[in-house]
Amino acid sequence: MRVLLLSAYDAPSHRYWRQGLIDNLHEYSFTCLTLPPRHFNWRIRGNPLSWLNRPELQAQYDLLIATSMVDLATLRGLVPNLARIPCIYYCHENQFAYPESPRQRRPLEPLMVNLYGALAADSLVFNSQWNRNSFFKGVESLLKSMPDEIPIGVLAQLSAKACVLPVPLIHAQHSIKTLAPFDQDNPMHLVWNHRWEFDKGPDLLLALIEALPPGLPLCWHVLGQQFRQQPAQFAAIKKLLEGQLASWGFCADEQVYQSVLAQSHVVISTAWHDFQGLAVLEAASLGAMPLVPAGLAYPQWFTSEYCYGTQEDFSARHIKQLAQSAAMKIAAFANGVMPLLPVDTKPWQWPQLKHQYVELLSRVCSR
């Protein structure tokens, strides 16, 4: 079976998913077109132009898979060959649920790209239930805000072809470390491994570090994709962690990165938005215990033992309460008051999820 796979904003999590498909679905022959993850506004609206004269679009395929950053409706209109191919629209994220940047308001165009793309696809797939729910809530809110001429049944049409299928984990489940009591010679390793942008919660991470009791035996790894402009909190975080900081910044060597995750006891998320939490899931598969907010997609994967705060106080208005809740758990782990609990990530590995992907691709192709 021949598959055309389009990734219009090929960020690390998108590449991770795309490479997983190629490496694990050997029954299919993939042709991939990708665009680099920069110049967001141009990329999400301009990808049909960027690809317009690519000969790959004129070849014969059995299936088209596009990420939700692809302006699918426009592309299928400009390239009639693609309009005849059954299509899966895979949503790593949705533009309705992104928190607004302090520097700019959310434009309408990315929302419409997502909506038109979802309508133009034969199957609509989300990587988490929270992603699906926030998308439909956002579509409903957008349509209600429009002045007139809104068709009936849009949400029902989208819901009928929607399902949830997470990005599978590539690395096999590792065994949980044997833990000796933590002390200054044997500190507890904490890793924070997210994009260095405001939506990943550097303000909450800073508040968490400030809330920690002094003298805890901790060793920190602050990793993740960096950009030319970074939230100001990172400079303060680095200063606060002086003497406890073992890793800082982006790790380009994949083996070194995996090694850091494997030696970490706890992986922390302070994200204000996370559609699946792949960075946390990957670290958990390598033996780190998740410590995540009780919101977003996280409750779908982790029980309350792994969460801090509540869904009710999950907002920047309650940042101090969230920080104190997370800090109390870290102190309890470091002092041996609470045990570090392993997470079984096997249900999210490729061997367990492959049959669901095969069933999805076969079902859409059969149409």
Side-chain angles (χ1 to χ4, degrees):
M1 187 180 295
R2 296 156 298 178
V3 180
L4 177 62
L5 177 55
L6 302 177
S7 180
Y9 198 84
D10 207 42
S13 62
H14 297 214
R15 291 197 301 272
Y16 185 96
W17 166 80
R18 175 170 57 81
Q19 195 59 49
L21 293 178
I22 295 169
D23 292 342
N24 290 275
L25 300 181
H26 302 295
E27 306 91 330
Y28 304 92
S29 174
F30 287 92
T31 297
C32 298
L33 290 182
T34 66
L35 293 169
R38 56 176 181 262
H39 312 308
F40 172 82
N41 289 324
W42 158 240
R43 196 66 77 224
I44 195 169
R45 273 310 265 131
N47 56 80
L49 277 176
S50 299
W51 284 328
L52 187 60
N53 295 321
R54 293 294 297 264
E56 293 92 338
L57 300 186
Q58 302 301 331
Q60 297 302 307
Y61 301 99
D62 301 295
L63 180 67
L64 169 63
I65 303 177
T67 69
S68 55
M69 298 295 287
V70 175
D71 188 354
L72 181 64
T74 299
L75 189 61
R76 296 186 94 178
L78 292 173
V79 186
N81 181 53
L82 298 183
R84 293 187 286 268
I85 305 170
C87 179
I88 294 171
Y89 196 55
Y90 192 85
C91 299
H92 295 270
E93 69 281 298
N94 74 77
Q95 296 302 313
F96 297 94
Y98 272 102
E100 291 189 27
S101 166
R103 299 189 299 272
Q104 61 186 22
R105 294 187 63 81
R106 181 185 294 112
L108 177 63
E109 288 84 354
L111 307 183
M112 298 307 297
V113 167
N114 270 185
L115 176 55
Y116 287 145
L119 288 168
D122 297 291
S123 182
L124 181 58
V125 185
F126 296 91
N127 61 354
S128 72
Q129 190 64 43
W130 185 81
N131 189 0
R132 183 191 186 282
N133 293 346
S134 60
F135 172 82
F136 280 99
K137 182 179 179 181
V139 170
E140 182 178 26
S141 177
L142 175 67
L143 295 181
K144 284 182 177 178
S145 72
M146 295 296 104
D148 59 11
E149 302 294 341
I150 302 300
I152 296 173
V154 172
L155 289 174
Q157 179 183 346
L158 294 174
S159 181
K161 60 183 177 182
C163 67
V164 174
L165 188 55
V167 175
L169 300 177
I170 292 175
H171 300 284
Q173 174 83 50
H174 283 217
S175 60
I176 300 299
K177 310 160 191 69
T178 301
L179 301 177
F182 296 119
D183 56 37
Q184 297 302 330
D185 296 322
N186 177 42
M188 183 172 73
H189 287 253
L190 305 163
V191 62
W192 185 95
N193 56 332
H194 308 274
R195 279 187 292 105
W196 288 29
E197 293 185 295
F198 80 97
D199 59 296
K200 295 304 182 183
D203 50 352
L204 179 52
L205 177 61
L206 176 60
L208 186 164
I209 295 169
E210 290 174 333
L212 287 170
L216 292 177
L218 303 178
C219 180
W220 284 85
H221 305 271
V222 181
L223 307 176
Q225 185 182 12
Q226 295 171 280
F227 305 89
R228 279 181 292 181
Q229 292 186 336
Q230 298 172 6
Q233 290 91 348
F234 283 104
I237 288 168
K238 188 174 185 180
K239 186 174 181 180
L240 274 177
L241 295 181
E242 187 175 355
Q244 292 186 327
L245 196 57
S247 306
W248 180 261
F250 179 67
C251 184
D253 188 311
E254 181 66 17
Q255 288 187 334
V256 173
Y257 175 69
Q258 297 294 325
S259 176
V260 172
L261 297 186
Q263 71 174 316
S264 297
H265 301 100
V266 177
V267 56
I268 298 172
S269 171
T270 55
W272 296 117
H273 107 264
D274 224 339
F275 290 100
Q276 180 175 342
L278 194 57
V280 172
L281 290 169
E282 186 179 19
S285 74
L286 293 170
M289 175 180 168
L291 183 59
V292 296
L296 308 174
Y298 291 121
Q300 182 176 344
W301 318 123
F302 307 118
T303 55
S304 60
E305 294 90 342
Y306 304 100
C307 299
Y308 60 87
T310 65
Q311 290 189 350
E312 289 72 26
D313 65 15
F314 181 66
S315 77
R317 292 174 300 175
H318 302 289
I319 191 169
K320 287 187 178 180
Q321 295 97 307
L322 291 169
Q324 289 169 354
S325 175
M328 287 176 59
K329 286 205 168 186
I330 291 173
F333 297 147
N335 291 326
V337 177
M338 290 177 59
L340 292 173
L341 302 173
V343 175
D344 182 9
T345 63
K346 291 187 181 68
W348 312 315
Q349 304 284 342
W350 260 109
Q352 279 66 41
L353 290 176
K354 178 178 176 177
H355 72 282
Q356 295 185 44
Y357 271 87
V358 171
E359 191 278 333
L360 170 69
L361 270 59
S362 300
R363 172 164 47 83
V364 175
C365 280
S366 68
R367 297 176 183 173

